[in-house]
Amino acid sequence: MVTLGQWQKEWKRLGGRSADMCVFHGKRRKFNPRTPLVITTIGTLSSTFKRDHGHHILTRAWSMLAIDEIHMLGHAHSSNKSEPAPKYRAMLEALSYDFCLGITGTP
């Protein structure tokens, strides 16, 4: 799995400004709704979704989501509620976005 720090470095390498990006992760999560790029994990989004459906990161309309480790969604027809896949799918279905890019290195 690519670390959040590596995604930050890649953003800067491609010419992105630090002010245009925030990392939403860890105990001191901060989210600026005016930031065009938010780097986070599917697990962090899921725990935020579980705790606070009204959080800004969840209610914002996104033009694009890029979800790394998308294989964690599992099989589309899985009904095993003990696996993380159903809760991740429910969270993604609740988000507002125009386009979602799923990324994985896992076959």
Side-chain angles (χ1 to χ4, degrees):
M1 179 163 84
V2 176
T3 67
L4 299 178
Q6 287 172 306
W7 283 119
Q8 285 178 282
K9 288 176 188 173
E10 189 65 14
W11 171 250
K12 291 175 186 173
R13 186 185 71 77
L14 293 171
R17 298 180 319 137
S18 292
D20 291 338
M21 180 244 340
C22 73
V23 176
F24 186 74
H25 190 69
K27 292 182 180 184
R28 294 185 299 221
R29 299 174 188 167
K30 293 184 181 178
F31 175 66
N32 178 350
R34 292 173 285 184
T35 304
L37 175 67
V38 178
I39 300 173
T40 190
T41 65
I42 196 165
T44 298
L45 277 181
S46 179
S47 66
T48 303
F49 181 74
K50 185 177 177 181
R51 280 192 334 270
D52 182 4
H53 286 286
H55 192 283
H56 295 299
I57 200 166
L58 302 172
T59 58
R60 176 178 172 173
W62 298 96
S63 56
M64 180 179 148
L65 295 177
I67 307 291
D68 195 7
E69 302 294 320
I70 199 72
H71 64 274
M72 293 182 72
L73 290 179
H75 299 288
H77 303 292
S78 173
S79 61
N80 184 347
K81 300 298 181 194
S82 66
E83 293 179 6
K87 71 178 180 180
Y88 290 158
R89 280 196 301 275
M91 178 204 52
L92 287 175
E93 289 170 2
L95 293 174
S96 175
Y97 55 88
D98 296 326
F99 178 78
C100 183
L101 173 66
I103 305 165
T104 186
T106 302

